[in-house]
Amino acid sequence: MRIKTTKEKRILIIKTAVRWLLYYVLIFFSFVFMTSGTLLKPVLLIPIAVCISVNNNQIGSAVTSAVCGFLIDISCDKLIGYNAVILTVFSIIISLLFELYLRYKFINVLIATAVVSFIQGWLDYKFYYEIWNYDNVELIFSEITIPVWIYTVISTVFIFLIIKLINHFLMPKEHLSLEEVIKTN
């Protein structure tokens, strides 16, 4: 790794701050979208939390996922902290998986988002509806939970592209020295 000059460090700090600011602006607009309109709309904060977890360390992704989870709780009128715990646990797992095993490819992010959003929707259905033995409760799962899950997975395409664009311009790139380049070839 090449030694960075003070100018490069300043640029790195500025780019990182702008990148995180854009992440949270995207989270804010997704929260506004989730709180307006009808019941059948995607939970945009889940793909955002997954896409941020893929590219960042465990602490940053856990904090961001907890914020996204709290905002989901607020917008869906759920118990505060319920979705925050779920998303925080999954974001740490996803961050570790992508750091150690998986590559940053769209299909991997899509599968991760599909799994996380399905488990979140299934747990939501189990704890908020099925546990109370309401009549015709399975209609909630088939007519609300599954369509919302499908919309969330489809929205991953757009969220992935937006976050990939942010990361393309603002993610720090590693500098390799000449010796490191010769060793890798």
Side-chain angles (χ1 to χ4, degrees):
M1 188 84 163
R2 186 169 70 96
I3 298 174
K4 294 184 174 116
T5 63
T6 56
K7 182 179 178 183
E8 287 176 331
K9 285 182 183 178
R10 262 187 266 129
I11 291 172
L12 175 71
I13 291 170
I14 291 171
K15 280 186 170 184
T16 303
V18 170
R19 178 171 47 101
W20 281 100
L21 178 72
L22 289 175
Y23 286 162
Y24 278 94
V25 166
L26 183 63
I27 289 169
F28 173 74
F29 283 124
S30 297
F31 174 70
V32 169
F33 174 77
M34 284 182 58
T35 56
S36 62
T38 63
L39 183 66
L40 292 175
K41 57 184 167 265
V43 183
L44 294 176
L45 294 170
I46 293 175
I48 290 173
V50 170
C51 288
I52 290 173
S53 297
V54 165
N55 290 315
N56 294 296
N57 61 5
Q58 291 82 29
I59 295 172
S61 61
V63 169
T64 304
S65 295
V67 169
C68 289
F70 281 124
L71 292 176
I72 291 172
D73 292 333
I74 292 168
S75 67
C76 296
D77 199 26
K78 303 289 181 190
L79 179 66
I80 298 295
Y82 171 74
N83 285 305
V85 170
I86 293 171
L87 278 182
T88 302
V89 168
F90 278 117
S91 71
I92 292 171
I93 292 169
I94 288 171
S95 182
L96 286 172
L97 277 174
F98 275 86
E99 184 179 318
L100 299 174
Y101 299 112
L102 299 175
R103 291 181 180 240
Y104 180 62
K105 300 288 182 190
F106 171 70
I107 191 70
N108 293 337
V109 174
L110 186 70
I111 291 170
T113 303
V115 168
V116 170
S117 61
F118 183 77
I119 291 173
Q120 184 269 342
W122 182 75
L123 288 174
D124 189 43
Y125 166 74
K126 287 287 184 188
F127 288 128
Y128 283 96
Y129 301 106
E130 189 179 45
I131 201 168
W132 303 109
N133 275 336
Y134 294 130
D135 292 332
N136 298 324
V137 73
E138 61 276 351
L139 290 175
I140 292 173
F141 189 74
S142 64
E143 295 191 16
I144 295 174
T145 304
I146 294 297
V148 167
W149 174 69
I150 291 170
Y151 295 152
T152 302
V153 172
I154 291 170
S155 70
T156 304
V157 175
F158 306 109
I159 299 296
F160 177 81
L161 292 174
I162 292 170
I163 290 185
K164 187 172 182 175
L165 182 70
I166 292 170
N167 290 339
H168 176 71
F169 290 110
L170 299 173
M171 185 67 86
K173 295 169 181 63
E174 288 191 29
H175 298 291
L176 296 175
S177 64
L178 188 56
E179 292 84 21
E180 290 172 335
V181 171
I182 291 172
K183 287 180 186 177
T184 58
N185 291 333

